[in-house]
């Protein structure tokens, strides 16, 4: 039986990689649209598999695919796919959780190091007019890494990679993840917090590596972030909606949190009215200089990770359509 996999976005110059992975039993179709709603009826009618990188897949659109058997999100996050609507039509939803593990872990550490070693703070001071005096700074940001507790929310693939990197820098590493089995921390040689509050009270550096779900949305509000030790640093390379960005701005401005590195924001790309934190960053407000780093959801990016996205997504779709067993299946309960 032949299948058709539809790529609504025109992502690649050719389909050679996909044809090699799928083999003769799968046809590749390219839509080249900016939204799922823009697809033609013919494309919808032909699709057994649907790939999505940037596009949302709402339930109303899922109902317009008569043959659809699998949706693969070409990335980790799956919050823009209506999993309940897919499950009601027996459509598999899968993701690709392992394509940019090393890149995101490296990026999280880069943000933490640039803040905790005051690299960005020195950078801003030395390019000021006039430049700051040629001497060291005494600042809450600047600490010996080996004296710090590095707290990680989510000790899955990326969180584990970050834990190993933080250990290499001499940090005392503490993980919080209620969904990991007992003993995973022993295999990593780290400590484990049994509650989120327990983790937050100890974390001189907090790094977030959880998916955005109903449980984690705005999980880190003012009351939670205020539990961090005074002078803590917050890093988020997961999903912007996990942190209350206004609460983070208040605690940064007040000096309770010394610095933050964000690769993700609640709304991407940001639109007016901008969050106060992003506005302060863009307008170079003095209190934020050297204490805040924002990158445009780019932690995953490298030539190697893009190749992984392409290959692993096709492999995941092939397993979903041809077997022997579907991989990385996301169920409606995983919300």
């Amino acid at each position: 039986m032949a299948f058709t996999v539809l790529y609504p976005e025109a992502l690649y110059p050719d389909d050679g990689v996909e044809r090699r992975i799928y083999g003769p039993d799968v046809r590749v179709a390219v839509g080249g649209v900016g939204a799922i709603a823009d697809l033609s009826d013919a494309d919808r009618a032909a699709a057994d598999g649907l790939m999505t990188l940037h596009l949302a897949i709402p339930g109303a659109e899922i109902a317009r695919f008569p043959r659809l058997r699998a949706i693969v999100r070409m990335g980790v996050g799956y919050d823009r796919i209506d999993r309940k609507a897919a499950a009601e039509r027996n459509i598999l939803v899968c993701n690709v959780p392992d394509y940019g593990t090393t890149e995101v872990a490296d990026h999280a550490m880069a943000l933490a190091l640039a803040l905790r070693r005051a690299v960005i703070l020195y950078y801003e001071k030395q390019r000021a007019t006039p430049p700051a005096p040629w001497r060291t700074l005494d600042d809450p940001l600047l600490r010996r890494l080996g004296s710090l507790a590095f707290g990680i929310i989510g000790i899955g693939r990326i969180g584990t990679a970050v834990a190993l990197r933080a250990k290499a820098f001499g940090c005392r590493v503490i993980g919080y993840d209620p969904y990991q089995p007992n003993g995973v921390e022993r295999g990593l040689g780290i400590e484990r917090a049994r509650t989120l509050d327990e983790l937050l009270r100890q974390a001189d550096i907090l790094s977030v590596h959880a998916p955005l779900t109903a449980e984690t949305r705005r999980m880190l509000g003012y009351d939670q972030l205020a539990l961090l030790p005074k002078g803590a640093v917050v890093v988020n390379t997961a999903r912007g909606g996990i942190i209350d960005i206004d609460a983070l701005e208040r605690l940064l401005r007040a000096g309770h949190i010394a610095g933050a590195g964000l690769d993700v924001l609640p709304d991407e790309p940001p639109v007016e009215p901008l969050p106060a934190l992003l506005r302060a960053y863009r307008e170079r407000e003095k209190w934020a200089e050297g204490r805040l780093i924002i990158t445009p959801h780019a932690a995953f990016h490298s030539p190697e990770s893009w190749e992984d996205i392409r290959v692993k997504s096709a492999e995941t779709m092939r397993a979903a359509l041809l077997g022997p067993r579907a991989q990385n299946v996301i169920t409606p309960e995983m919300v």
Side-chain angles (χ1 to χ4, degrees):
M1 180 178 180
F3 296 105
T4 295
V5 175
L6 175 61
Y7 287 73
E9 304 153 273
L11 300 172
Y12 309 115
D14 59 65
D15 63 357
V17 171
E18 289 72 25
R19 285 189 288 107
R20 172 176 60 80
I21 293 170
Y22 292 137
D25 295 326
V26 176
R27 182 176 76 91
V28 176
V30 180
V33 299
I36 291 296
D38 298 334
L39 286 168
S40 69
D41 290 339
D43 280 337
R44 296 172 191 275
D48 300 286
L50 181 62
M51 289 287 199
T52 176
L53 179 61
H54 302 294
L55 304 184
I57 315 291
E61 293 299 326
I62 290 174
R64 298 176 64 188
F65 288 83
R67 295 175 47 179
L68 197 61
R69 295 181 52 173
I71 300 170
V72 170
R73 160 72 171 103
M74 301 173 71
V76 181
Y78 46 83
D79 47 285
R80 302 189 73 196
I81 300 173
D82 189 332
R83 280 97 62 207
K84 182 179 178 183
E88 288 172 352
R89 299 191 60 222
N90 295 317
I91 298 169
L92 285 172
V93 175
C94 307
N95 70 343
V96 182
D98 58 339
Y99 72 92
T101 299
T102 58
E103 284 83 359
V104 178
D106 290 347
H107 200 88
M109 286 303 301
L111 293 173
L113 291 168
L115 290 164
R116 270 297 178 211
R117 292 303 306 154
V119 174
I120 299 300
L121 187 60
Y122 280 120
Y123 170 80
E124 295 290 0
K125 297 292 187 183
Q126 288 301 317
R127 71 179 189 141
T129 304
W134 190 258
R135 61 171 182 255
T136 59
L137 291 171
D138 291 323
D139 191 275
L141 275 175
L142 191 56
R143 297 283 302 278
R144 174 183 289 178
L145 292 172
S147 71
L148 302 179
F150 196 113
I152 299 173
I153 296 177
I155 45 178
R157 294 173 180 85
I158 297 173
T160 293
V162 172
L164 296 174
R165 285 156 172 75
K167 279 181 62 182
F169 279 96
C171 297
R172 172 183 161 230
V173 181
I174 313 164
Y176 168 71
D177 191 329
Y179 296 99
Q180 292 293 341
N182 292 338
V184 67
E185 71 280 6
R186 295 191 177 187
L188 293 173
I190 66 174
E191 300 176 33
R192 186 160 186 179
R194 297 300 167 182
T195 67
L196 178 61
D197 286 3
E198 180 186 339
L199 177 80
L200 295 173
R201 288 191 175 97
Q202 302 176 74
D204 301 298
I205 302 170
L206 177 70
S207 195
V208 181
H209 302 284
L212 182 63
T213 67
E215 181 181 2
T216 64
R217 187 178 297 276
R218 295 174 72 88
M219 177 172 67
L220 297 172
Y222 184 90
D223 290 344
Q224 290 74 37
L225 292 171
L227 293 175
L228 291 166
K230 185 173 175 57
V233 161
V234 174
V235 171
N236 188 7
T237 55
R239 285 293 183 269
I242 296 173
I243 294 179
D244 181 340
I245 197 170
D246 294 325
L248 180 61
E249 186 265 346
R250 288 172 58 195
L251 289 160
L252 274 164
R253 188 184 290 270
H256 182 81
I257 293 176
L262 307 177
D263 184 56
V264 289
L265 297 173
D267 296 303
E268 297 176 355
V271 296
E272 295 287 352
L274 294 176
L277 186 63
L278 182 57
R279 188 173 300 281
Y281 184 68
R282 289 183 172 178
E283 294 179 359
R284 297 175 178 262
E285 292 185 17
K286 287 296 183 183
W287 68 268
E289 283 192 354
R291 306 188 181 282
L292 183 59
I293 308 171
I294 296 177
T295 55
H297 204 141
F300 75 96
H301 179 69
S302 75
E304 294 83 3
S305 72
W306 277 106
E307 182 67 14
D308 276 355
I309 288 174
R310 185 176 187 179
V311 170
K312 290 176 180 294
S313 295
E315 290 173 343
T316 300
M317 180 62 80
R318 188 184 192 286
L321 294 179
L322 301 177
R325 184 177 66 229
Q327 304 169 355
N328 310 322
V329 175
I330 305 299
T331 66
E333 292 75 28
M334 298 167 66
V335 297

